[in-house]
Amino acid sequence: GEFSTPINLGYPINTSSSETSFIVSPSGKEAYFSTDLEGGYGKKDLYVFNLYEEAQPTPIVYMKGRVLDITNNNPVYASFEVRDLETNKLIASTTSDASNGSYLVVLPLGGDYALNAKADNYLFYSENFQLKSKEIESYEKDVFLNPILEGNSVVLNNVFFESNSAELLPSSQAELLTLVGMLKDNPNIIIEISGHTDNTGNAAMNLELSNKRAINVKLYLQTKGISPNRLQAKGYGQTMPIDDNNTEEGKAKNRRTEFKIISR
């Protein structure tokens, strides 16, 4: 929020010439600048040097891609939010380009992130991902948005519960508030909230757990002013998998909460 005392990086980084345009690399290890030092090739030349460790910032990753209509691949003007999954803190926000759907955000390396994209007349998009590898400099992700039409659905990838419990975790709030906003912007929509599990454990208990989770999401939406007449809640247990229950990754995808438009 305010400037600190600057530190002279020393010769040959700081000289009596005109050093400008200081930029740090995504890794945080190198820095670039422009200057008119004697012996250069032009009026202003570019130089690179190793930034000393105390001055190295957190490495960053460029996340980029396009936002497209899933039905026709046309570009969509959408707004983006990326939040830290652990703290729910907003890390980056931007909009996609209306002419080609492209977007770009800069994220600190090493985090677990929740992505949310939304646009007028479309269901919002939800995903979470990790940026842990030190080898990553860019992460490409195209986002496909579903129009608001009867029968279309969204997996709420950033709604979380306590393990083996129907209690919503605080980290679910940002996504649920996005759903609240969509429902308020489209007051005629009626949705079904559905809970799903993997095939671990007892089928009857899984059915009961998934139903309780769907009901708790419904109750949360009601506390934010959404009429219960617009909300249906149902648990399906392990009966509707979307991936292979023989792998941990598949099981994780099958443990989900989603909503579907049943009337508009």
Side-chain angles (χ1 to χ4, degrees), residues 13-14 51 55 102 108 119 134 157 189 198 224 226 259:
I13 310 306
N14 284 134
L51 193 60
S102 64
K134 294 183 179 180
N157 285 310
I189 287 177
D198 61 29
K224 300 302 178 182
I226 305 301
F259 74 89

Side-chain angles (χ1 to χ4, degrees), residues 6-114:
I7 299 173
N8 192 311
L9 289 173
Y11 182 86
I13 310 306
N14 284 134
T15 75
S16 58
S17 297
S18 178
E19 281 78 44
T20 63
S21 307
F22 180 86
I23 297 174
V24 179
S25 68
S27 70
K29 295 180 179 179
E30 298 88 25
Y32 303 85
F33 65 97
S34 169
T35 188
D36 56 358
L37 286 175
E38 191 175 325
Y41 292 94
K43 292 183 179 180
K44 282 281 189 179
D45 296 302
L46 297 178
Y47 293 82
V48 62
F49 68 98
N50 293 322
L51 193 60
Y52 64 92
E53 190 171 349
E54 290 80 4
Q56 291 178 12
T58 302
I60 58 96
V61 175
Y62 295 99
M63 180 177 175
K64 58 185 178 179
R66 299 175 68 203
V67 186
L68 304 168
D69 184 311
I70 198 169
T71 64
N72 54 28
N73 281 346
N74 287 338
V76 177
Y77 175 73
S79 60
F80 270 82
E81 283 189 353
V82 180
R83 293 181 177 272
D84 185 294
L85 261 181
E86 185 176 342
T87 65
N88 205 31
K89 179 182 177 182
L90 181 64
I91 303 299
S93 61
T94 189
T95 56
S96 59
D97 187 284
S99 63
N100 60 21
S102 64
Y103 73 90
L104 175 70
V105 292
V106 179
L107 304 173
L109 184 65
D112 292 327
Y113 296 110

Side-chain angles (χ1 to χ4, degrees), residues 195-197 206-214 234-237:
H196 304 267
T197 70
N206 285 338
L207 183 63
E208 181 182 4
L209 176 61
S210 65
N211 195 56
K212 287 181 178 179
R213 286 179 170 179
K234 185 174 181 180
Y236 290 91

Side-chain angles (χ1 to χ4, degrees), residues 123-126 146 152-157 175 257-260:
L123 298 173
F124 63 87
Y125 179 90
S126 160
N146 244 327
N152 283 350
S153 61
V154 171
V155 176
L156 297 169
N157 285 310
E175 180 127 311
T257 304
E258 60 183 64
F259 74 89
K260 179 174 69 174

